[in-house]
Amino acid sequence: MPRQIDPESFGFLATDIARMLRAEMDRRIAGSGMELTPGEVRLLAQAARAGTVRQSVLAERIGVEAMTVSAYVDRLE
């Protein structure tokens, strides 16, 4: 029997809040005048928090493929 999704559950609400926070962050980055994409900013923020780690770890933390992180790093260089 398939499980029903409860839109009032903690997990559903936490995911919804995370989505809204990410959208707000993306809007602020776009309006900041920085010549960085939201993905590049997320990468920089995670790199600052994580210290020296492999690009694959950063990719996992920001929810993208390792090749995407590589492209971000190339542009940031």
Side-chain angles (χ1 to χ4, degrees), residues 4-10 12-13:
Q4 288 186 319
I5 296 174
D6 178 9
E8 300 300 321
S9 70
F10 177 77
F12 187 90
L13 295 174

Side-chain angles (χ1 to χ4, degrees), residues 5 9 19 22 25 33 38 44 49 54 58 62 64-65 71:
I5 296 174
S9 70
R19 180 190 54 76
R22 184 172 178 165
M25 180 180 165
L44 289 171
R49 290 178 68 206
R54 294 184 176 274
L58 293 173
I62 64 173
V64 299
E65 296 294 322

Side-chain angles (χ1 to χ4, degrees), residues 11-69:
F12 187 90
L13 295 174
T15 301
D16 208 30
I17 290 168
R19 180 190 54 76
M20 289 186 290
L21 287 171
R22 184 172 178 165
E24 179 62 21
M25 180 180 165
D26 290 353
R27 278 191 294 277
R28 288 180 183 213
I29 292 167
S32 72
M34 290 188 297
E35 294 184 11
L36 298 172
T37 67
E40 292 165 350
V41 172
R42 280 191 291 280
L43 174 66
L44 289 171
Q46 283 299 325
R49 290 178 68 206
T52 304
V53 296
R54 294 184 176 274
Q55 288 183 11
S56 60
V57 172
L58 293 173
E60 185 177 323
R61 288 185 179 193
I62 64 173
V64 299
E65 296 294 322
M67 289 181 64
T68 303
V69 167

